[in-house]
Amino acid sequence: MDHFEEDLVAALREIVKDRNWQCVGKKCDFDSPCTKLYSEDGEHIVLVHTEDDRFWAMDSSCPHEGGPLDLGDIEDLGDGKSVLVCPWHHFDFCLETGASSMGLQASTCDSFARGVKTFTRQCTNQVYEVRVVQDMIYINTQNELCLSPIPETDTSNGKLSVDDVEPSPSEDTLCFWATKILCTPDPKEKVAMTLEVQERWNSGEITEVGQATPPVQPSRKENLTVLQPGKIKRGKGGTLASRIALLHSLANIEQWAIDLSWDVIARFSSVRLDTGEPLPRQFFSDFVKVAGDEAKHYHLLETRITELDSFFGALPVHNGLWQSATDTSHDLLARLAIVHMVHEARGLDVHPQTLSRFAAQGDCSSVEVLEVIYRDEITHVAAGLRWFTYICSQEERDCLSTFHDLVKQHFKGYLKPPFNTEGRKTAGMTEEV
């Protein structure tokens, strides 16, 4: 197991934790008990103002049957506890925890019997931390919020603009194949080529790293509908359609992750450290492994989507991940910090909640796929940490201050709790800080 500088690990954890406070307005603008705040992806929030002048926030859609909680009533239970009551079926939700006193019939995966169990589970709504700072209201959420409904408009032309770049080198090198994979639009072909190149590299059939100029942006099939990231509606996994949407979104991320792995290989193959030394061969081997893992993940997800009578491309996708690649295309340390540390660490954080949504519906096959992905992603965070630390050490840079500077320059995203400390610990992101 890798062990990394504790201050750097703590900094990565805090970046993923704290960079998503949304200012929604002045305190005086929220005199009503309940105010609905709208999000582009449809996951709207209700801001609750109680009589003791405190503010709370939770998902505005009741997890029972989608009732409008912003039209609900607030009931004081005493002892400083209050609940928001849905106007449809009177499910109540604790403002502090989101827990309801009412239960739902549900199914879950039995990991021992490999079957499905039916039980009554507590109905819980997602809550969000709220702070009042200098009479301004802040909510801790990934999504941008506003007081007015957001029109559902497609701001793209329905296609991903493809920079049609052909690989220039003719020799049989790792970078030649990395560039060729980046220029391959069909995800199934991309997966097959990735796994073949991984096998040839590991067996020693491909011996040279080589050099190549990767495309500005990887190729994609022309029939994909591309929207801005916030407009992709993933749902919460409570229905078959919602689970398909979640799997489709994950498959899209994995396809980009394949390309990000090959891009870091091709784009930075000629990098020389301040010592004059090239990157070690193990650097390239580590990211070939990451690319192979991501290809495996896409194949597992695409197969599961097909089993559920859908297909990849049936729903809109986004190319938000590639923006980080573009922003860090000139700086290997920045690429490692943002893409292979911050974004990969965020994947560990959202995994438990995603898995629990599928398990609650008895979707054991999808749970098994997600568990495979989770185990692999832990090693990917460790790889990012390993090479960031190595380069800083070789160039006599302070890891912590370098990381903070790079995040300040290049990371503009917003991130959303809860935080999976166990997964982070396994990746080397320990809690002893």
Side-chain angles (χ1 to χ4, degrees), residues 150-192:
I150 301 170
E152 296 187 8
T153 56
D154 182 358
T155 57
S156 74
N157 61 4
K159 295 181 180 179
L160 186 65
S161 60
V162 175
D163 193 293
D164 189 17
V165 178
E166 291 297 326
S168 55
S170 58
E171 66 270 24
D172 188 21
T173 67
L174 186 63
C175 285
F176 168 81
W177 290 109
T179 307
K180 191 170 183 64
I181 291 168
L182 287 164
C183 293
T184 300
D186 187 279
K188 291 184 179 180
E189 293 180 14
K190 190 184 295 285
V191 166

Side-chain angles (χ1 to χ4, degrees), residues 318-334:
H318 68 81
N319 62 347
L321 269 180
W322 196 255
Q323 183 59 51
S324 293
T326 301
D327 293 343
T328 59
S329 62
H330 64 290
D331 187 337
L332 176 55
L333 277 176

Side-chain angles (χ1 to χ4, degrees), residues 58 61-69 71-75 77 83-94 98-104 123:
M58 64 174 59
S61 179
C62 177
H64 174 220
E65 289 189 0
L69 292 179
L71 301 180
D73 295 322
I74 301 170
E75 291 187 4
L77 302 181
V83 295
L84 180 59
V85 182
C86 179
W88 283 8
H89 304 102
H90 307 292
F91 273 65
D92 58 352
F93 298 96
C94 175
S100 175
S101 63
M102 303 176 71
L104 291 174
C123 186

Side-chain angles (χ1 to χ4, degrees), residues 32 48 153 177 208 217 238 297 314 387 389:
S32 300
V48 178
T153 56
W177 290 109
E208 299 296 325
Q217 184 164 289
H297 300 167
W387 290 108
T389 302

